[in-house]
Amino acid sequence: SKFIVGLTGGIGSGKTTVANLFAAEGITLVDADIVARDVVAQGSKGLEAIISHFGIEMLTSEGELDRAKLRQRIFSHPEEREWLNQLLHPMIRQEMLAQVEKATSAYVIMVVPLLFENGLDRLVNRTLVVDISPELQISRTTKRDNVDASQVNNIINSQLSRSEKLARADDIIDNHGEISTLKREVLALHQRYLQLSGTHDA
Ligand code: ATP
């Protein structure tokens, strides 16, 4: 099977930016956020199961999953949240691994915002954490999105702490500097991963 690097980091840390630099080297990306949307897309088994369980009111007038409504429902019902996780997590896991097996690059980067939180680090051969300070997470995210600092801070506090992520990382990429520095770091890691995937028994 393929050599998989799990890429993670907190909100606004630079996961997408880093992933795109690996993609520019020809490495296939498997993105957990995209897969999580695909498994509940129109016509999917996931959406069908959600509707049979929660009812047709979970659909928007366009026939898509009403995420806000579903979020609201599970927020006040932990057992329903658990039911949903039991449904979706295996589907997401299976689809991500299917995409990994289809990839033709030397190794694959799996981009997973909550890699450690959701135990997906068990699926990968190596973990890579994008590290930035909470101050920079806040300034870059508020600059990118239409959110205020306290909203970003709440999300930071809901995620695994910076020190815990660093302690669990096999590799760390520092994103306090400029994009040019980041690019050099990615190129060095890319060489390392080519080596590791070459000796990894396929
Ligand atoms: P999220 O988890 O919130 O989706 P992310 O970890 O994917 O975020 P990015 O979207 O890659 O993070 O980066 C957050 C913002 O910071 C983006 O607007 C990005 O362009 C910018 N950014 C990333 N790295 C740098 C850098 N080294 N210098 C300046 N801006 C950066």
Side-chain angles (χ1 to χ4, degrees), residues 2-202:
K2 270 205 122 65
F3 189 78
I4 310 172
V5 177
L7 172 64
T8 193
I11 178 171
S13 57
K15 294 177 292 295
T16 307
T17 308
V18 168
N20 289 338
L21 290 169
F22 279 103
E25 299 307 306
I27 296 306
T28 301
L29 307 178
V30 174
D31 188 315
D33 282 347
I34 294 174
V35 171
R37 274 198 295 275
D38 288 349
V39 299
V40 294
Q42 284 200 46
S44 65
K45 283 207 174 72
L47 185 55
E48 201 178 297
I50 289 171
I51 298 311
S52 350
H53 186 85
F54 291 101
I56 196 117
E57 67 264 27
M58 287 300 158
L59 288 180
T60 66
S61 53
E62 269 78 55
E64 295 199 28
L65 179 61
D66 190 334
R67 288 162 187 290
K69 210 165 196 177
L70 183 60
R71 215 178 300 122
Q72 203 178 13
R73 172 69 173 265
I74 64 173
F75 181 76
S76 45
H77 297 88
E79 71 291 353
E80 298 287 35
R81 175 194 296 272
E82 187 54 26
W83 181 88
L84 191 65
N85 286 342
Q86 299 271 352
L87 171 76
L88 297 179
H89 284 181
M91 296 179 80
I92 293 169
R93 212 172 274 248
Q94 194 180 30
E95 176 56 24
M96 287 203 295
L97 290 175
Q99 290 187 13
V100 164
E101 291 313 320
K102 271 191 274 173
T104 52
S105 56
Y107 64 93
V108 172
I109 298 271
M110 225 184 229
V111 190
V112 191
L114 300 177
L115 184 75
F116 299 119
E117 290 89 337
N118 288 338
L120 287 164
D121 55 321
R122 286 192 296 266
L123 294 184
V124 307
N125 299 100
R126 211 167 168 89
T127 59
L128 171 58
V129 169
V130 188
D131 181 49
I132 64 170
S133 67
E135 293 74 24
L136 214 45
Q137 279 182 283
I138 291 170
S139 68
R140 286 186 184 159
T141 306
T142 53
K143 201 171 155 196
R144 182 194 59 186
D145 304 335
N146 186 26
V147 292
D148 59 42
S150 74
Q151 285 172 281
V152 181
N153 206 41
N154 286 341
I155 294 172
I156 292 174
N157 290 332
S158 75
Q159 299 179 335
L160 197 66
S161 71
R162 180 183 181 189
S163 58
E164 186 67 24
K165 279 197 274 265
L166 293 178
R168 294 180 64 170
D170 293 314
D171 301 308
I172 297 165
I173 190 159
D174 183 308
N175 192 19
H176 294 88
E178 303 197 353
I179 296 289
S180 56
T181 312
L182 192 64
K183 194 164 183 173
R184 276 198 297 278
E185 291 179 88
V186 166
L187 290 178
L189 284 167
H190 176 56
Q191 290 308 318
R192 178 101 182 92
Y193 295 152
L194 286 176
Q195 261 174 2
L196 287 170
S197 58
T199 55
H200 172 75
D201 61 291

